[in-house]
Amino acid sequence: MFIDQVDIYLKAGDGGNGLVAYRREKYVPLGGPSGGDGGNGADIIFEVDEGLRTLMDFRYQRHFKAKRGENGMNSNAHGKNSEPMVLKVPPGTIVKRKDTGETLADLVQHGARAVVAKGGRGGRGNSRFASSRNPAPDFAENGEPGEELDVVMELKLLADVGLVGFPSVGKSTILSAVSKAKPKTGDYPFTTIKPNLGVVETGDGRSFVMADLPGLIEGASEGTGLGHQFLRHVERTKVIVHVIDIGGLEGRDAVEDYRIIRNEMGLYNDNLLKRPEIIVLNKVDLVEDEAVFDRFTEAVGGDKEIFRISAATRENLDTVLYRVADLLEETSEVEEVIEETDHRVVYRHEKDPDTFEISRDDDGAYVVSGDAIERMFKMTDFNRDAAVRRFARQMRSMGIDDALRERGIQTGDTVRILGGEFEFVE
């Protein structure tokens, strides 16, 4: 089964907790703190495997949770870092955030990797907080939470040539005639409901990958019919072969069909109209009036490359293949602009800015939210007074105390962070 889009949930590994410990060895007076740091949590990495062709592996397993780092140990021993979780994906996979649509990675080349969910760093042990003013700290950090997000994976086939056209114009028949691919064919619309790939070899030894893409109809750019499921795969083809049913058995107008599909491609992505294109008039064996060819050529413009073929009888197919191979040699790699940022090799995780928001709950409590303060909250061990005092100092240094005063907070009012409640004291 061909799967080209799937939603999955990712949870990178949390960092291990730091340890509160002290040296207690014979003949070693004033041993001091010796709690080690926790290990880093596992990243979730996407890696391209050219042996894969669909996203089928993600259809049934859609939740991925990486391992957390080991906790710190005595004698300043560092907890073990967790190995990253590597998910194999086919070439042409794009990973986007589900909530914002931001592109996190665009993976094309075999072996390319992208860190999509960053694991949390390990918490620091109490020995890391020793100072001249506090030589024996009795607190440590919890591990930083790993990133947690829902992503959408989209697959855009990497084919050299794409066969486009209305349903039932003979695209699948052409692919089966020029390659060993066996797409489903039939005399009814939308016989092909998934893309098919085939390797084509010309008589002079040149070869390329051709894709039979599902037929589209008017309104496809807005999702009508197979819509984006078709157009997504056209974006990476170097050469477009536009197949037209010139036989007229379906009672359609060939010129109007050509204009409709070109219009839909332009509405979806106007760069598609700049790709090298040849027009193939299929089913010429059914044409009785030769004047239809002249009318079509005159209507679409004389600068277009137009070939007459019959996929059923293989008439003139070799000529088309030679011309396609020539165009591929003349055409450079397809360049795509993805939200003005190139993430083809790796997604670089950026630290969250120290921003926060203050709102009010129905009961009058002040609610503080923000990535940085919530991360600090999760990394604080509130069972230890020293850790609580350190958290209070961090809030003060971020400017949260002053911001609460500006909002009118009074001594005794409740401050809430991630469900935890504090009493504000001047």
Side-chain angles (χ1 to χ4, degrees), residues 273-336:
L273 302 181
K274 303 174 185 177
R275 302 280 167 83
E277 177 198 54
I278 65 173
I279 301 173
V280 170
L281 304 181
N282 191 24
K283 306 182 184 180
V284 297
D285 52 314
L286 303 178
V287 176
E288 297 179 355
D289 182 7
E290 290 288 325
V292 299
F293 299 117
D294 296 332
R295 288 196 294 269
F296 182 87
T297 302
E298 182 180 351
V300 302
D303 58 333
K304 302 287 186 180
E305 290 192 76
I306 302 176
F307 294 83
R308 306 177 189 181
I309 71 162
S310 172
T313 64
R314 293 188 58 87
E315 178 185 344
N316 215 27
L317 276 179
D318 288 339
T319 303
V320 172
L321 297 183
Y322 284 128
R323 181 53 186 148
V324 168
D326 291 340
L327 280 175
L328 287 173
E329 292 178 353
E330 301 167 6
T331 305
S332 59
E333 292 293 324
V334 174
E335 294 185 0
E336 291 183 273

Side-chain angles (χ1 to χ4, degrees), residues 77 95 173 186 217 268 367 397:
V95 185
T173 304
I217 57 178
Y268 179 76
V367 179
S397 66

Side-chain angles (χ1 to χ4, degrees), residues 6-81:
V6 66
D7 298 352
I8 63 173
Y9 164 81
L10 304 176
K11 174 65 172 74
D14 297 337
N17 297 333
L19 180 69
V20 176
Y22 301 92
R23 289 185 65 183
R24 290 185 175 87
E25 299 177 39
K26 193 174 183 180
Y27 309 120
V28 182
L30 305 176
S34 65
D37 299 344
N40 296 331
D43 298 335
I44 297 182
I45 296 175
F46 285 59
E47 181 179 347
V48 176
D49 182 348
E50 62 184 5
L52 299 176
R53 283 292 175 265
T54 80
L55 299 174
M56 185 69 180
D57 294 343
F58 298 93
R59 185 183 183 191
Y60 300 106
Q61 182 181 356
R62 300 199 178 192
H63 286 70
F64 296 89
K65 186 175 182 180
K67 292 183 178 180
R68 65 174 296 135
E70 285 189 352
N71 294 333
M73 293 170 281
N74 284 316
S75 303
N76 290 319
H78 196 290
K80 183 179 179 181
N81 297 331

Side-chain angles (χ1 to χ4, degrees), residues 99-118:
D99 53 355
T100 65
E102 174 193 1
T103 298
L104 301 179
D106 181 13
L107 300 164
V108 177
Q109 300 296 331
H110 176 67
R113 283 188 160 202
V115 179
V116 175
K118 186 73 174 176

